[in-house]
Amino acid sequence: MWNYPRPPIVTLADDELRVLAGDVAVAQSTGVLWLKETASAPTAYFPPSDVKTELLRANGGVSVCEWKGAATAFDAILPDGHTIQDAAWCYPDPFDDLPEGYAQIAGWYAFYPAKLDCFVGKERVRPQGGGFYGGWVTDRIKGPIKGEAGSSGW
């Protein structure tokens, strides 16, 4: 991940990725795009066709990325009525003026592994440290990752 560039690049995932809330499947896809940025675990973006969007509700939260633009935050509303706040986000209209191709994630959904059960193949993902980042940490990731203790000075 230290060879991931800045600005981030977008690549196609090789595996099936899944997102669960307990036993409820929220997303499952073999067409996921990874967003890879220096010192960060990759972030998975799912096509809306592979997401149970009826389980997601925009909550008014917005965050801004210098590379991708403004993202909308979503709560996951489970069939039993349980709400998982700020479980996902989406860039409805990402910046498209850079050659990295962020426009291709327009309307795609990313999920926080700290709030949902996320899987790459059969491996359960660990959340990226720091409580802010949405990176998916797996055994494939090598090296220190921003957000971990002691990384605030990078």
Side-chain angles (χ1 to χ4, degrees):
M1 58 170 235
W2 280 95
N3 62 350
Y4 296 163
R6 187 165 172 78
I9 59 169
V10 179
T11 64
L12 185 63
D14 294 333
D15 299 294
E16 179 179 72
L17 278 67
R18 296 178 294 130
V19 177
L20 305 172
D23 61 354
V24 177
V26 178
Q28 183 170 346
S29 183
T30 56
V32 170
L33 294 174
W34 285 121
L35 195 122
K36 299 176 178 179
E37 180 177 1
T38 305
S40 186
T43 301
Y45 284 85
F46 287 75
S49 59
D50 294 340
V51 175
K52 291 186 180 171
T53 56
E54 67 275 11
L55 299 176
L56 301 177
R57 180 178 62 212
N59 63 21
V62 175
S63 63
V64 178
C65 170
E66 65 184 310
W67 308 112
K68 299 178 294 294
T72 302
F74 290 84
D75 295 337
I77 312 298
L78 303 182
D80 66 3
H82 179 73
T83 299
I84 303 170
Q85 294 181 336
D86 295 318
W89 72 94
C90 171
Y91 288 92
D93 187 24
F95 296 148
D96 62 359
D97 58 343
L98 294 173
E100 285 75 17
Y102 303 128
Q104 65 188 312
I105 64 166
W108 288 41
Y109 293 89
F111 299 91
Y112 284 104
K115 300 191 178 216
L116 298 161
D117 300 323
C118 301
F119 296 85
V120 174
K122 294 182 181 195
E123 182 182 358
R124 184 169 180 177
V125 171
R126 298 174 305 279
Q128 185 170 347
F132 172 78
Y133 301 105
W136 289 35
V137 179
T138 66
D139 290 342
R140 297 178 192 178
I141 304 298
K142 304 297 179 209
I145 301 169
K146 67 181 173 183
E148 294 177 344
S151 68
S152 63
W154 297 352

